[in-house]
Every structure is written in structure tokens, then in C-alpha cells.
Amino acid sequence: MKKFKALYAFMLAFFNAKTLIEDGSINLTEEQKQQLQDALGEKVRLSEVVTQMNQELADAAKDESGGDQVLADLKKEAMEMLIAHGLSQQDAEEAAENPKGSKADGDAEMKQILAGLIEHNKKTDKMLETLLKDPEEDTPIAKGNLNMKNLAHSNSHFLGSGKAYDAFEDRNWNKRAAGLSTTPTDFADEKGFEIQKLKDDVDLYYRENPTEIKSLFRDLLGLPSNWDIRTRVDDRVADGNIVSGEISQGRKLPWLPKNKQLIQPEESKIFPVHIDIEFIGYYLQQIEASWLNSWNKEGSQPYKWSFVRFLLSELDKKARQEDRMVSINGVFVKTPENATIPGNAINRGDGILIQLWRAYFYDQKFKIANIGLPTDANIVDYIPQLLEKNIPEESKNADNLIIYLSPTWLKKYKIRYRQLYGMENDYSRDGVMDIENYPNVKFQTLRDLEGSDFMLVTFADNIQLMENIPAEKSMYHFDTLKRIIYIYADYKWGVRFKHIGTKVKDTDPVAFKVQTVWCNIPPTLHKTFVSLYDDATGEVNLPYSNIEVKADWVTNITDIKNVYPGQIVKVRGNTLATGSVKHDAAKIALTGSADFALSTGGTLTLVVEPDLKLKEIKRTGAPEVNPESTVNFNTAAIDANEGTDFQFLAGADVVMTEILNGFDGQTITIKGAAGNTVTVSDVDGNINVGASRVVNGAADFVKLTRVDGVWEEVGFNITE
């Protein structure tokens, strides 16, 4: 209530008003809302502030009056009295809600009854006014070290909250935040006293603040709001879908039934998630220091949580971010019981893309019309074509269709739309989001599709998130042993399509061929390699087309299963692993019968033939370079705006003639390749080297920095 009174006092002063409360809640005009929103700035959502204030008013009213039940009983009692004195149900309801305007005013006895209702309303209003004027307790004595003039604490609690976890006693982190201590907390104390306090505070905080933490989780999830959440899912969900063929026919003499129907289950699995965290006292001290420093900014709002809450909320943020990524790009990989290396977050469950991939390539539940790839020039025409070539007429005009795509492709669509329809200077038009002839279809971006050309169309309610018990995500547990804190939590998380399509035979009726998802290209996980654990069998059951072994892999790979004809399979090694992909003419046919050593860190590319045998296409003998900063070239000119490392590709000898663009102070590296040479020599006004550098071989390079518009040599390595 303290925060409410401070905000309410600010609002009264801002509008120079005597009251802003009407019927027990904050009442602002649209103009007042806009004025206040402008004053608070973009970071504050006024609607959320007002909603929270009204909730505090409602809670306070319940506490003072005895709760909703008391109010309900009073109203029921008043209604019974009014009806007993001859009023109709409708007139009685009007009298109870608006005593002064009742039709019963003419009756003396009615006036007496209604006077009681009026007096009750006055008491309610007086109660609210008293709450606002209620004096603060626990006089502030400390101003804190967060550089805020109005930041005040009581003589016993951080920010005067009165909460046990904000107490100064035995909690040095709260004293430091309040400016009453400059000594770092000794979380490595022999008795473990501070750690035990931390553990108890976390348990207490979550008992007292479950709603607020749950809201934080949802805000950080970052998934579409139209995806609903199904709870109480313990292991899997199985829904049945039914399709029917033609049933009616013209009048005839013989009995000719034709009621063909198909029922198929749509089964989806939820996955258990573990969070294991270990803190050593020394590192906990560093976190405490960074927490205090991060809020040491002039003008920041008072941060009412203690160090305990900050520590836990940061852990939660990362977990919720991973929930989002797994929901889109996750591929489940079972962790063996004897695992010694932690698993990747992305491999803790199956996301929507891997579900589509299996449904398309293995189960053949849906088909895709070939419309090519989107380009910057064709994107506005490409989107309607995606709809027209894929979606049947009966579904094409449905009201709740969504196109899921990457943020980049949506931006390109908007830019091209403005260019085509003459809207370059009108950025306020909502029409830029329209799809020609399809106003019923809406765009929805998925940030985890970034970098991919894949686009998905389905109904707004066809994707569903799954949990077991929502509160589990906030149930962190703390254990301590030998100056170390162990934090752990367990919950379940999953995502599913309610329906993808029906798997049918060639002889089944056309009516059976029903699908609820449509795509522009076959589903794929953009640049994803799934990490595998070594189960010592030598047989790989392929979870996805691209796999990589972990550092502790030691077994030879002798067979790769769970493949389909025409599939391109990539196996990436690891420089810390041992073992090889073994040549076997009947299973894995490698070029020249030469085994592929996983320890090279290179990539082996295979194709699956009709008899499911894998055949080598190519291989590399070293780990891939970072594609984000490395640019491959085999021309005489390069553009410095494209990257920092330029890798020459063998094919023909090249003499550098120009380095385009770049900025003063930028450094680039030109790397060689075995087989051919790239020569870097002086170019007037553009390149200046100490001598002509003939870069030949993977170890050769020339490093250049731009100074006053000229690329000056700052380092090189040339092997003879």
C-alpha cells in the first residue's frame, strides 16, 4: 500500500486534483491517461500501473470490510428487504446499486432502508480515504548508496518493506544495498550462516510472492500470445482426429453404403527439465557486487528486492529464454545415466520445427507446393502465392490463419510493400501489413526463425504449449555443503501441434487428405547440428539430418539408422573425440574405402540411397570457421564491409587489385589456401605492404589496417 500511496499522491499533484477515485477504483479520462503516459515515458506501461493500483484498492477494501462475502451478504440482505416491501426484482436491483435514484424514494419506509444503503456506501468511500491518509510507520533512518534522493529505509528493513528477507539483521547484502555497510558478504564463512539465511529467504520469498514471479516468467517467454498453455500434462497428450468421405447420394433402389471414415491419434510428448546450479562463496561475492553496481544509477526507480531476489530472477530469465528457443528449434536427445558432460538446453525437448520435419519426411502427413524461395524483389507476391498454391479453398478464407516467419522477412515485406504501393513516406499506415486479397491472414514473427527462409501457415489456435504444474518453474531448492551452494529445480515443458495432417494411403478418398499446416519449403532447422552422446553401440539412431559428436566420444560409428531415401546426412567430428565413421560397402560407403576420423573436427556429408545405404558425397578435414565473420572469395577485389576474415578459395591464382569500403581503424585478414596463390601488392591509394606478399597455404595470411583511407600492412605470415 505504500507504493500505491506514493503513486496516487504523484497523480493528484500531476493533475492538481482532489481525488481520482470513483466507485472504488482509479478513474482517468483518455486525455489524462495520455498526459500521464507521456510523462512516465515508454518504459512504463500506464495501463499496468493503473491495474495494479486498482488491485491494491480492491484488496484493501476486502481487508477492511471483511471480504467479498460480507459485501455479498449485505447486498443480498438489502435486496430481500426491498423485495419484501413490494419492489420488483429489477427495481430492487436498481435501488441496491443506485439508492438515490431508486423509484422507491416516495415511500417513507423505503427511504429509511435506502438511507442505510447510502450510509454503507459512505463508509466504503471513507475507508478508502482513510487508507490513503494512513501514516507511515517505522521512521526511515538510511538513504542508501544507490544515488537516489528519495530512497529511504527503516531502521530494521531494506526500503522499509517489513519483509523478513529484507531485514538488516544477519543480512549484510541488505545493509550494503542500504548504504549501512561497505564490507562484502562472507558467503564462504566456516559456519555457512550467510548461506543458510539466503536459503531460508528464497523459500519465504516464493511463498509470499508467487503471482509476481509467475508474471515475470510469462513476460520473458517471448512466444506468440495466441498459443495457449495446457497444464497438468504428466507425460503425453493424445487427441483423436476424424475425417469422413462422401456420405450422401441420389435416390436409388439397392442398398449402397459408403460411409468411409478415418480416425487417427495426434500424440504429443512433454519433456522433463532439470536445472542444476552450483555457486562457490567467492563467486557469490562477485555477483553481489555487480548487483549493487547495476542499480547505482541516478534517476533509477527504487529497487525493492534484496540481493536474494535479484540472484534468483536472473536465473529465471535465462531458463525462460531457453523455454522459448526449445519450443521452436529444440531436438530431444536422451542423456545417458552415466553422462559426464552437461547436455545442451536445445536438446532437452522437441520443438515445432522437428515435429514438422518428422511429419513431412517420415510420416508424410502433409505436402508442400513448390514455389521456390523468397527474394527481396518477389516477397510481396510470394506471400499470396504461398497461400494460393498450398491452402484449399475451404480453408483459404478462414478468419484465424497465421503466417509465421522471421523478423527479417517481415521487414523486407514491409519495405517492398511501400515501394510497390507508393507508401514510402507514410509509415503510420496499418495497410502495410495487409496481404493482397487476404485480409483474414495475419503475420506473426518468431525470432528463432531468424536467418531462415522457412515460413509456416496454420490456424491461430493450432499450436499449444504444455506444462505439468506451472508453479514448478519457481520452485528452486537450495542445499549447502562445504562452502558451496547447490541450487536445483525440476519442471516439465513441451509444445505441440493439435493437428498437422492425416497419413493416408493412395487408395483413400480425397476427403481423407486433410492437413492443417502449410509451408513454403520443406521444414528444416536452420544451421542446426544435434549433439549425440556415445552409447558405445556404434549405431546411431538419427534424431535429425545433421549430427555432431561430443568431446568424450570414443566409439567407431558402424551404422546410421532412422533415415529416408534422398536424405542428406552430415556427421561433424570433434577435435577432442576419438573413433571414426567406418567404411562398410553395405551400410556406409565411403570414398576410397577410407574411414572418416572424428578427431579432425571436420564434416562428413552423405546421401541416403533408395536401399537406405549411405554414400559419401564429400568431407572436410578441419573444423568450420565462424561463418559470421569469415568471407570466402576468389576474386581480385574484396569488400571490407562484408567481414573481418577473408578466406581465399583455391581454383586459380589471384592478384589483389582493390579493397573496397571499410573505415579507418578497421583491421582485416586475408588468408590463403593450398593449391593456388593470392598475391597482395601495393595498389596506389588503396593498399600499402612492405613487399609483395604471395599467400600460399592454409597457414599464410596478411593482416591490414585502414589508415587515412589506405590499407596498411600490420602483420603477415608467409611460409616458403
Side-chain angles (χ1 to χ4, degrees):
M1 202 62 191
K2 294 179 182 180
K3 183 184 292 186
F4 170 85
K5 286 183 279 188
L7 288 171
Y8 185 63
F10 164 74
M11 293 165 68
L12 290 177
F14 185 82
F15 294 117
N16 193 23
K18 292 184 178 180
T19 183
L20 294 171
I21 295 178
E22 183 176 332
D23 297 330
S25 63
I26 302 296
N27 185 31
L28 300 177
T29 66
E30 292 301 321
E31 182 180 1
Q32 287 175 323
K33 290 178 182 178
Q34 188 59 50
Q35 291 175 353
L36 191 55
Q37 183 65 72
D38 293 341
L40 294 174
E42 296 180 355
K43 292 185 178 180
V44 178
R45 296 181 181 178
L46 178 61
S47 59
E48 296 180 3
V49 173
V50 173
T51 299
Q52 184 62 32
M53 294 177 71
N54 287 335
Q55 184 61 49
E56 292 200 39
L57 278 175
D59 293 343
K62 291 179 185 178
D63 293 341
E64 289 293 323
S65 64
D68 286 341
Q69 188 58 47
V70 175
L71 294 176
D73 292 342
L74 285 173
K75 185 173 180 180
K76 180 180 178 182
E77 192 175 299
M79 289 283 293
E80 291 174 351
M81 285 192 295
L82 292 171
I83 294 173
H85 283 76
L87 266 69
S88 66
Q89 179 74 22
Q90 181 179 354
D91 290 342
E93 291 176 355
E94 292 180 0
E97 298 295 335
N98 185 18
K100 292 185 179 180
S102 171
K103 298 177 182 178
D105 278 349
D107 185 272
E109 191 172 356
M110 281 298 95
K111 287 184 177 180
Q112 183 177 359
I113 295 172
L114 295 177
L117 293 176
I118 294 172
E119 185 63 27
H120 174 73
N121 289 343
K122 287 181 179 179
K123 287 181 179 179
T124 301
D125 293 340
K126 185 177 180 181
M127 176 198 68
L128 292 173
E129 189 68 24
T130 301
L131 284 171
L132 295 177
K133 295 180 179 180
D134 185 37
E136 298 285 347
E137 299 178 357
D138 205 357
T139 304
I141 62 169
K143 289 294 182 181
N145 65 351
L146 305 187
N147 292 341
M148 300 176 194
K149 296 179 181 178
N150 298 322
L151 183 60
H153 315 280
S154 72
N155 57 5
S156 60
H157 287 77
F158 180 68
L159 288 169
S161 71
K163 302 292 185 181
Y165 48 76
D166 281 332
F168 292 138
E169 184 178 1
D170 298 328
R171 293 170 176 84
N172 185 65
W173 51 88
N174 289 337
K175 292 180 181 178
R176 292 191 66 199
L180 301 178
S181 172
T182 58
T183 304
T185 308
D186 186 8
F187 288 102
D189 178 66
E190 288 286 350
K191 299 179 180 179
F193 184 71
E194 303 289 354
I195 290 179
Q196 185 58 43
K197 278 290 181 185
L198 185 64
K199 174 183 176 181
D200 294 342
D201 285 350
V202 170
D203 293 339
L204 177 60
Y205 177 77
Y206 275 111
R207 286 200 301 270
E208 295 191 358
N209 299 275
T211 303
E212 191 168 359
I213 287 296
K214 183 178 179 181
S215 174
L216 176 65
F217 290 161
R218 296 303 302 274
D219 290 344
L220 291 171
L221 196 54
L223 292 173
S225 58
N226 53 282
W227 294 7
D228 63 326
I229 294 185
R230 181 167 179 170
T231 59
R232 301 293 176 182
V233 180
D234 184 57
D235 180 54
R236 63 191 67 219
V237 173
D239 292 340
N241 298 291
I242 183 170
V243 290
S244 302
E246 279 189 348
I247 183 61
S248 62
Q249 54 186 305
R251 180 177 293 179
K252 79 290 190 233
L253 177 62
W255 173 256
L256 300 173
K258 61 172 190 176
N259 53 306
K260 292 186 176 181
Q261 293 178 296
L262 174 67
I263 299 176
Q264 287 185 350
E266 193 78 39
E267 187 176 83
S268 304
K269 183 175 175 57
I270 195 171
F271 297 90
V273 182
H274 287 193
I275 295 179
D276 296 340
I277 303 164
E278 179 179 305
F279 274 122
I280 298 174
Y282 172 78
Y283 299 112
L284 201 57
Q285 290 172 338
Q286 292 182 324
I287 294 176
E288 179 192 42
S290 65
W291 168 70
L292 295 173
N293 183 61
S294 66
W295 289 96
N296 190 15
K297 300 175 182 177
E298 181 67 23
S300 298
Q301 293 297 315
Y303 191 60
K304 200 169 184 177
W305 298 346
S306 65
F307 170 55
V308 176
R309 181 171 182 178
F310 169 79
L311 175 66
L312 206 52
S313 68
E314 291 302 301
L315 301 175
D316 290 334
K317 290 176 185 178
K318 186 61 177 176
R320 302 292 74 75
Q321 183 187 66
E322 291 169 357
D323 287 345
R324 186 205 78 226
M325 294 188 295
V326 170
S327 298
I328 308 300
N329 289 317
V331 181
F332 177 70
V333 175
K334 181 176 176 58
T335 305
E337 295 182 359
N338 60 347
T340 58
I341 298 178
N344 299 330
I346 204 69
N347 297 140
R348 67 177 219 207
D350 287 337
I352 62 172
L353 289 182
I354 193 64
Q355 293 177 38
L356 289 174
W357 182 79
R358 291 171 185 151
Y360 181 79
F361 289 108
Y362 290 106
D363 299 331
Q364 299 175 351
K365 287 186 174 182
F366 68 102
K367 295 183 178 181
I368 298 170
N370 184 8
I371 60 173
L373 291 174
T375 65
D376 293 4
N378 76 3
I379 184 62
V380 171
D381 295 325
Y382 186 87
I383 295 296
Q385 191 178 24
L386 165 61
L387 302 173
E388 292 163 5
K389 293 291 184 68
N390 281 281
I391 305 179
E393 289 298 327
E394 61 268 21
S395 301
K396 198 175 297 180
N397 297 311
D399 291 334
N400 60 341
L401 282 176
I402 301 285
I403 294 181
Y404 296 99
L405 72 173
S406 71
T408 293
W409 274 120
L410 181 58
K411 292 174 185 175
K412 291 180 178 180
Y413 179 90
K414 293 160 70 175
I415 291 171
R416 185 59 177 161
Y417 192 99
R418 292 190 180 101
Q419 292 172 347
L420 292 176
Y421 294 97
M423 299 171 59
E424 289 90 343
N425 297 322
D426 187 359
Y427 286 85
S428 62
R429 284 280 303 275
D430 291 334
V432 76
M433 297 294 288
D434 288 344
I435 301 172
E436 197 71 17
N437 299 322
Y438 292 100
N440 59 305
V441 184
K442 305 301 180 186
F443 286 111
Q444 176 69 63
T445 60
L446 294 176
R447 70 185 74 176
D448 296 289
L449 287 181
E450 195 59 80
S452 172
D453 295 327
F454 181 75
M455 299 176 189
L456 165 69
V457 183
T458 190
F459 295 99
D461 59 353
N462 194 37
I463 302 177
Q464 185 178 60
L465 300 171
M466 297 181 293
E467 291 183 302
N468 186 16
I469 302 173
E472 284 182 329
K473 293 196 300 294
S474 63
M475 293 180 182
Y476 282 90
H477 302 277
F478 280 54
D479 286 337
T480 58
L481 178 66
K482 296 181 179 179
R483 307 185 186 181
I484 301 175
I485 304 175
Y486 301 96
I487 309 174
Y488 52 94
D490 298 86
Y491 63 98
K492 292 183 178 181
W493 182 258
V495 64
R496 71 168 186 141
F497 285 94
K498 296 178 183 177
H499 183 254
I500 294 177
T502 53
K503 186 176 181 179
V504 297
K505 302 176 183 177
D506 293 337
T507 56
D508 285 335
V510 175
F512 282 14
K513 299 173 183 178
V514 177
Q515 64 185 73
T516 316
V517 298
W518 303 272
C519 308
N520 63 330
I521 57 177
T524 181
L525 281 77
H526 184 59
K527 296 182 179 179
T528 294
F529 275 78
V530 178
S531 297
L532 295 185
Y533 292 93
D534 187 357
D535 61 4
T537 65
E539 296 181 353
V540 172
N541 193 37
L542 208 65
Y544 182 60
S545 298
N546 304 335
I547 58 173
E548 61 184 359
V549 299
K550 285 186 171 290
D552 59 349
W553 190 282
V554 297
T555 306
N556 290 330
I557 297 176
T558 57
D559 196 5
I560 299 178
K561 298 180 177 181
N562 195 34
V563 296
Y564 59 85
Q567 182 178 10
I568 302 299
V569 177
K570 294 184 178 181
V571 181
R572 179 186 289 172
N574 189 307
T575 55
L576 299 178
T578 58
S580 301
V581 178
K582 304 296 289 185
H583 167 74
D584 183 335
K587 296 179 179 179
I588 306 175
L590 301 180
T591 303
S593 301
D595 296 342
F596 175 75
L598 297 171
S599 60
T600 64
T603 301
L604 174 67
T605 304
L606 308 157
V607 63
V608 181
E609 298 186 323
D611 60 356
L612 300 186
K613 180 179 68 177
L614 288 84
K615 179 181 178 181
E616 179 179 352
I617 297 176
K618 63 178 181 179
R619 69 174 72 187
T620 61
E624 292 185 13
V625 294
N626 184 1
E628 295 181 0
S629 60
T630 299
V631 179
N632 295 323
F633 77 100
N634 55 12
T635 59
I638 59 175
D639 188 344
N641 286 349
E642 295 180 353
T644 57
D645 293 334
F646 291 83
Q647 177 65 59
F648 176 63
L649 298 177
D653 295 340
V654 168
V655 178
M656 296 293 301
T657 59
E658 187 178 17
I659 300 177
L660 301 168
N661 300 316
F663 55 86
D664 281 357
Q666 180 183 0
T667 299
I668 64 173
T669 303
I670 299 174
K671 300 178 179 179
N676 294 100
T677 63
V678 54
T679 302
V680 183
S681 303
D682 289 347
V683 176
D684 188 34
N686 186 245
I687 302 174
N688 183 34
V689 292
S692 182
R693 309 298 184 193
V694 180
V695 183
N696 180 20
D700 289 4
F701 67 85
V702 175
K703 192 180 293 288
L704 306 165
T705 299
R706 183 171 140 158
V707 180
D708 297 332
V710 177
W711 293 93
E712 303 281 353
E713 181 184 77
V714 294
F716 68 92
N717 181 65
I718 304 297
T719 57
E720 296 298 334

